[in-house]
Amino acid sequence: MKFDVLTLFPEMFDILNQSIIGKAIEKNLIDVHLINIRDFSKDKHKKVDDTPYGGGAGMVMKPDVVYDAYQSVKDEKAKVIYMSPQGKTLNQKMVEELSKENHLIILCGHYEGIDQRVLDKIVDEEISIGDYVLTGGEIPAMVLIDSVSRYVEGVLKEDSIKEESFSNGLLEYPQYTRPEVFEGMKVPEVLLSGHHENIEKWRKEKSLEMTKKKRPDIL
Ligand code: 4H4
């Protein structure tokens, strides 16, 4: 899976080199290229934004600069995603769908947004990570890269994504590990029984119970 990220702050993505995603990059399971939009400004002051036509607060990213940055990575087979609070709210189903793509170009929004003309011209899908406004689209882009990369073969151990929250429409069952007694609280007996059928049944019941309690909306 190849990710091309159009951003004004490529250095923010350094954290992707940590942990599981970092290892996946090292193993060439995923490829993350950062394109600094500012490099495509023809202005001597490297201007990338300007005041909005019609007045109003804040600055809008210039369409020509964004378009030239896009052209540098353009690929007919790639899906172009714009991270914005106006997009469809990301969920596990969308993540799983996106993981089937081979090449994602992710445009990080900034300031008050980007000139609508370049969005209309290049964006295939507008995605939000939630109904709140952040200072930039870089964290949303990293959320997308992290969540989609988990579906790329070899990134996680076999079967890790099979039973996690949302993968079967329910929240994951509660997890326990050593010590057997913690602050007087014992691990549920069934999990110590080695009786796989009973454990499976208990886990399914707990998943349903947890979902009813915490997220009845996804039932
Ligand atoms: C983009 C702010 C667009 C406002 C931005 C608009 C999110 C989010 C986000 C920095 C940028 C903000 N991105 N999920 N939530 N003019 N991005 O807050 O469309 O209102 O993904 S606008």
Side-chain angles (χ1 to χ4, degrees), residues 82-86 109-114 126-137 140:
Y82 172 47
M83 302 309 298
S84 133
Q86 299 188 24
H110 249 277
Y111 309 105
E112 294 313 306
I114 298 177
E126 199 167 345
I127 296 179
S128 170
I129 60 166
D131 291 340
Y132 38 80
V133 180
L134 303 166
T135 55

Short mmCIF file of all heavy atoms in Angstrom, two decimals, residues 82-86 109-114 126-137 140, ligand 1:
data_model
loop_
_atom_site.label_atom_id
_atom_site.label_comp_id
_atom_site.label_asym_id
_atom_site.label_seq_id
_atom_site.Cartn_x
_atom_site.Cartn_y
_atom_site.Cartn_z
N TYR A 82 -9.45 13.80 0.79
CA TYR A 82 -9.25 15.10 1.44
C TYR A 82 -9.76 14.98 2.87
O TYR A 82 -10.93 14.63 3.08
CB TYR A 82 -10.02 16.19 0.68
CG TYR A 82 -10.04 17.54 1.37
CD1 TYR A 82 -8.88 18.11 1.90
CD2 TYR A 82 -11.23 18.26 1.49
CE1 TYR A 82 -8.90 19.35 2.52
CE2 TYR A 82 -11.27 19.50 2.11
CZ TYR A 82 -10.10 20.03 2.62
OH TYR A 82 -10.13 21.26 3.23
N MET A 83 -8.87 15.23 3.83
CA MET A 83 -9.25 15.15 5.24
C MET A 83 -9.87 16.48 5.65
O MET A 83 -9.19 17.52 5.63
CB MET A 83 -8.03 14.85 6.12
CG MET A 83 -7.28 13.57 5.77
SD MET A 83 -8.30 12.09 5.65
CE MET A 83 -8.95 11.94 7.31
N SER A 84 -11.15 16.44 6.00
CA SER A 84 -11.84 17.68 6.37
C SER A 84 -13.04 17.38 7.26
O SER A 84 -13.64 16.31 7.14
CB SER A 84 -12.32 18.37 5.09
OG SER A 84 -13.67 18.79 5.20
N PRO A 85 -13.41 18.33 8.14
CA PRO A 85 -14.56 18.11 9.02
C PRO A 85 -15.87 17.99 8.24
O PRO A 85 -16.89 17.58 8.77
CB PRO A 85 -14.58 19.34 9.93
CG PRO A 85 -13.67 20.32 9.34
CD PRO A 85 -12.78 19.63 8.39
N GLN A 86 -15.84 18.33 6.95
CA GLN A 86 -17.07 18.25 6.15
C GLN A 86 -17.22 16.88 5.50
O GLN A 86 -18.19 16.62 4.81
CB GLN A 86 -17.06 19.34 5.08
CG GLN A 86 -17.01 20.73 5.68
CD GLN A 86 -17.21 21.82 4.64
OE1 GLN A 86 -17.80 21.58 3.59
NE2 GLN A 86 -16.72 23.00 4.94
N GLY A 109 -5.92 19.24 4.94
CA GLY A 109 -6.48 20.59 4.91
C GLY A 109 -5.79 21.48 5.93
O GLY A 109 -5.09 20.98 6.81
N HIS A 110 -5.95 22.79 5.78
CA HIS A 110 -5.38 23.72 6.76
C HIS A 110 -6.16 25.02 6.80
O HIS A 110 -7.03 25.25 5.97
CB HIS A 110 -3.92 24.02 6.42
CG HIS A 110 -3.05 23.41 7.47
ND1 HIS A 110 -2.80 24.05 8.66
CD2 HIS A 110 -2.50 22.20 7.56
CE1 HIS A 110 -2.07 23.24 9.41
NE2 HIS A 110 -1.88 22.13 8.77
N TYR A 111 -5.79 25.82 7.80
CA TYR A 111 -6.43 27.14 7.94
C TYR A 111 -7.95 26.94 7.85
O TYR A 111 -8.50 26.02 8.41
CB TYR A 111 -5.91 28.10 6.86
CG TYR A 111 -4.41 28.15 6.80
CD1 TYR A 111 -3.72 27.53 5.79
CD2 TYR A 111 -3.70 28.73 7.85
CE1 TYR A 111 -2.33 27.53 5.77
CE2 TYR A 111 -2.32 28.73 7.84
CZ TYR A 111 -1.64 28.12 6.80
OH TYR A 111 -0.27 28.11 6.80
N GLU A 112 -8.59 27.77 6.99
CA GLU A 112 -10.06 27.64 6.87
C GLU A 112 -10.40 26.65 5.75
O GLU A 112 -11.52 26.59 5.31
CB GLU A 112 -10.67 29.01 6.57
CG GLU A 112 -10.53 30.00 7.72
CD GLU A 112 -10.93 29.37 9.05
OE1 GLU A 112 -12.05 28.84 9.15
OE2 GLU A 112 -10.11 29.38 9.98
N GLY A 113 -9.41 25.94 5.27
CA GLY A 113 -9.73 25.00 4.21
C GLY A 113 -8.94 25.31 2.95
O GLY A 113 -7.97 26.05 2.96
N ILE A 114 -9.38 24.69 1.85
CA ILE A 114 -8.67 24.78 0.56
C ILE A 114 -9.66 25.30 -0.49
O ILE A 114 -10.86 24.98 -0.42
CB ILE A 114 -8.15 23.38 0.16
CG1 ILE A 114 -7.13 22.88 1.20
CG2 ILE A 114 -7.54 23.39 -1.24
CD1 ILE A 114 -6.61 21.48 0.96
N GLU A 126 -14.05 12.82 0.50
CA GLU A 126 -13.75 13.73 1.62
C GLU A 126 -14.07 12.95 2.90
O GLU A 126 -15.17 12.39 3.04
CB GLU A 126 -14.63 14.98 1.51
CG GLU A 126 -14.13 16.14 2.30
CD GLU A 126 -14.84 17.45 1.91
OE1 GLU A 126 -15.51 17.52 0.86
OE2 GLU A 126 -14.71 18.41 2.69
N ILE A 127 -13.09 12.85 3.80
CA ILE A 127 -13.28 12.04 5.01
C ILE A 127 -12.95 12.86 6.25
O ILE A 127 -11.96 13.60 6.27
CB ILE A 127 -12.38 10.78 4.96
CG1 ILE A 127 -12.79 9.86 3.80
CG2 ILE A 127 -12.43 10.02 6.29
CD1 ILE A 127 -11.95 8.60 3.64
N SER A 128 -13.80 12.72 7.28
CA SER A 128 -13.57 13.39 8.56
C SER A 128 -13.28 12.33 9.62
O SER A 128 -13.78 11.21 9.53
CB SER A 128 -14.83 14.17 8.97
OG SER A 128 -14.70 14.62 10.31
N ILE A 129 -12.48 12.70 10.63
CA ILE A 129 -12.26 11.74 11.72
C ILE A 129 -13.21 12.04 12.88
O ILE A 129 -13.19 11.35 13.89
CB ILE A 129 -10.79 11.71 12.23
CG1 ILE A 129 -10.33 13.06 12.75
CG2 ILE A 129 -9.87 11.16 11.16
CD1 ILE A 129 -9.05 12.97 13.56
N GLY A 130 -14.06 13.06 12.72
CA GLY A 130 -15.03 13.34 13.79
C GLY A 130 -15.55 14.77 13.68
O GLY A 130 -14.93 15.62 13.04
N ASP A 131 -16.67 15.01 14.38
CA ASP A 131 -17.34 16.33 14.26
C ASP A 131 -16.70 17.34 15.20
O ASP A 131 -17.29 17.73 16.21
CB ASP A 131 -18.83 16.17 14.55
CG ASP A 131 -19.53 15.38 13.46
OD1 ASP A 131 -18.95 15.30 12.34
OD2 ASP A 131 -20.60 14.82 13.72
N TYR A 132 -15.47 17.73 14.87
CA TYR A 132 -14.77 18.79 15.61
C TYR A 132 -13.72 19.34 14.64
O TYR A 132 -13.34 18.66 13.68
CB TYR A 132 -14.08 18.24 16.87
CG TYR A 132 -13.49 16.87 16.68
CD1 TYR A 132 -12.26 16.70 16.04
CD2 TYR A 132 -14.19 15.72 17.06
CE1 TYR A 132 -11.74 15.45 15.82
CE2 TYR A 132 -13.67 14.47 16.84
CZ TYR A 132 -12.45 14.33 16.22
OH TYR A 132 -11.94 13.07 15.99
N VAL A 133 -13.27 20.56 14.84
CA VAL A 133 -12.32 21.17 13.90
C VAL A 133 -10.93 21.24 14.53
O VAL A 133 -10.78 21.73 15.65
CB VAL A 133 -12.77 22.59 13.48
CG1 VAL A 133 -11.76 23.20 12.51
CG2 VAL A 133 -14.16 22.54 12.84
N LEU A 134 -9.97 20.67 13.84
CA LEU A 134 -8.57 20.67 14.32
C LEU A 134 -7.80 21.80 13.64
O LEU A 134 -8.31 22.44 12.73
CB LEU A 134 -7.94 19.32 13.97
CG LEU A 134 -8.69 18.10 14.53
CD1 LEU A 134 -8.20 16.82 13.86
CD2 LEU A 134 -8.50 18.01 16.03
N THR A 135 -6.56 22.00 14.04
CA THR A 135 -5.77 23.08 13.43
C THR A 135 -5.24 22.64 12.07
O THR A 135 -4.84 23.47 11.26
CB THR A 135 -4.55 23.42 14.32
OG1 THR A 135 -3.82 22.20 14.53
CG2 THR A 135 -5.01 23.99 15.66
N GLY A 136 -5.19 21.33 11.85
CA GLY A 136 -4.65 20.89 10.57
C GLY A 136 -5.13 19.48 10.24
O GLY A 136 -5.63 18.78 11.11
N GLY A 137 -4.92 19.07 9.01
CA GLY A 137 -5.38 17.75 8.58
C GLY A 137 -4.33 16.66 8.77
O GLY A 137 -4.55 15.51 8.40
N PRO A 140 -5.50 13.86 11.33
CA PRO A 140 -6.48 12.99 10.64
C PRO A 140 -5.84 12.09 9.58
O PRO A 140 -6.19 10.92 9.46
CB PRO A 140 -7.43 14.01 10.00
CG PRO A 140 -7.35 15.20 10.88
CD PRO A 140 -5.94 15.26 11.36
C1 4H4 B 1 -10.32 21.70 6.91
C2 4H4 B 1 -10.65 23.09 8.89
C3 4H4 B 1 -11.54 22.15 6.39
C4 4H4 B 1 -11.89 23.53 8.36
C5 4H4 B 1 -9.90 22.17 8.13
C6 4H4 B 1 -12.29 23.05 7.12
C7 4H4 B 1 -10.48 17.43 10.19
C8 4H4 B 1 -11.40 16.57 10.82
C9 4H4 B 1 -10.17 18.83 10.54
C10 4H4 B 1 -7.81 21.54 9.66
C11 4H4 B 1 -8.69 21.61 8.67
C12 4H4 B 1 -8.97 20.84 9.90
N1 4H4 B 1 -9.93 16.75 9.17
N2 4H4 B 1 -11.34 15.39 10.18
N3 4H4 B 1 -12.22 16.81 11.90
N4 4H4 B 1 -13.51 24.92 5.69
N5 4H4 B 1 -9.30 19.48 9.70
O1 4H4 B 1 -10.66 19.34 11.54
O2 4H4 B 1 -14.18 22.56 5.49
O3 4H4 B 1 -14.69 23.76 7.52
O4 4H4 B 1 -10.45 15.53 9.18
S1 4H4 B 1 -13.78 23.56 6.44
#
